[in-house]
Amino acid sequence: MMKKILTALCLIMAAISFYIMVGRNGTDIKLWLTVSFAPFMVISAVAIMLNNGFLQMIILPFLLVYGFGSVFNVPWAAEYAYAHICGILVLTVSAYSVFRHMIRLRFVKIAVGIAVGCVLFISSKYYQRNYLSAVKIKKITDIEKSLLFR
């Protein structure tokens, strides 16, 4: 039951992000895929649906950074509700994934998956910093913070 709820919520929030950012604001899809945290929500939903624990652990660093970032770095105001809802959802998905694997004593899968995820996360940040303009990144993050009020 929890698996279905988390999966549905992740897909709904990612669809809202895609519709508003790409559909309504005309953001490039490639830019949305590389900067937004909604694609990581889709990947985590697919990993949960397929019971792919390794993919859940690989995506964990992305989810934790974006989740804690939106909860602690975005002001607590009504216009930023989308960012906080997604941040709390992402942190819940992270806790679900880790808890699920710790109960089954899959510590090696957790460690290897997180290590691979950290390498991918650092690589994606390197790509963002060197190949995307700071203005475009700032635009995406500003739109994403107050997504429901755009």
Side-chain angles (χ1 to χ4, degrees):
M1 179 72 168
M2 183 71 160
K3 181 165 91 168
K4 290 179 183 178
I5 293 171
L6 289 176
T7 301
L9 287 174
C10 283
L11 292 176
I12 289 168
M13 297 306 275
I16 291 170
S17 171
F18 181 80
Y19 169 72
I20 293 176
M21 294 179 75
V22 176
R24 205 188 302 166
N25 289 326
T27 304
D28 184 32
I29 292 175
K30 184 176 120 181
L31 183 65
W32 179 78
L33 285 171
T34 56
V35 176
S36 177
F37 62 87
F40 300 113
M41 291 172 62
V42 172
I43 293 170
S44 65
V46 169
I48 290 172
M49 281 191 309
L50 297 176
N51 286 326
N52 190 334
F54 190 64
L55 184 57
Q56 289 175 6
M57 291 301 109
I58 288 174
I59 205 74
L60 189 67
F62 293 93
L63 298 178
L64 290 175
V65 168
Y66 287 122
F68 282 118
S70 65
V71 170
F72 292 119
N73 291 332
V74 177
W76 284 88
E79 71 179 289
Y80 302 120
Y82 177 83
H84 291 296
I85 291 168
C86 284
I88 292 168
L89 176 64
V90 162
L91 290 175
T92 304
V93 168
S94 301
Y96 171 79
S97 297
V98 170
F99 185 68
R100 189 173 151 254
H101 291 295
M102 289 184 82
I103 285 177
R104 296 182 180 163
L105 301 175
R106 295 183 177 163
F107 298 114
V108 173
K109 185 180 278 190
I110 292 172
V112 172
I114 290 174
V116 170
C118 287
V119 169
L120 290 175
F121 180 76
I122 291 168
S123 301
S124 72
K125 290 301 171 186
Y126 176 80
Y127 175 79
Q128 285 178 6
R129 189 172 16 138
N130 292 325
Y131 297 105
L132 298 175
S133 71
V135 174
K136 288 183 179 179
I137 294 173
K138 176 108 172 84
K139 179 184 173 191
I140 292 282
T141 55
D142 287 344
I143 293 172
E144 202 162 55
K145 283 181 187 174
S146 59
L147 201 59
L148 297 177
F149 288 88
R150 296 252 173 199

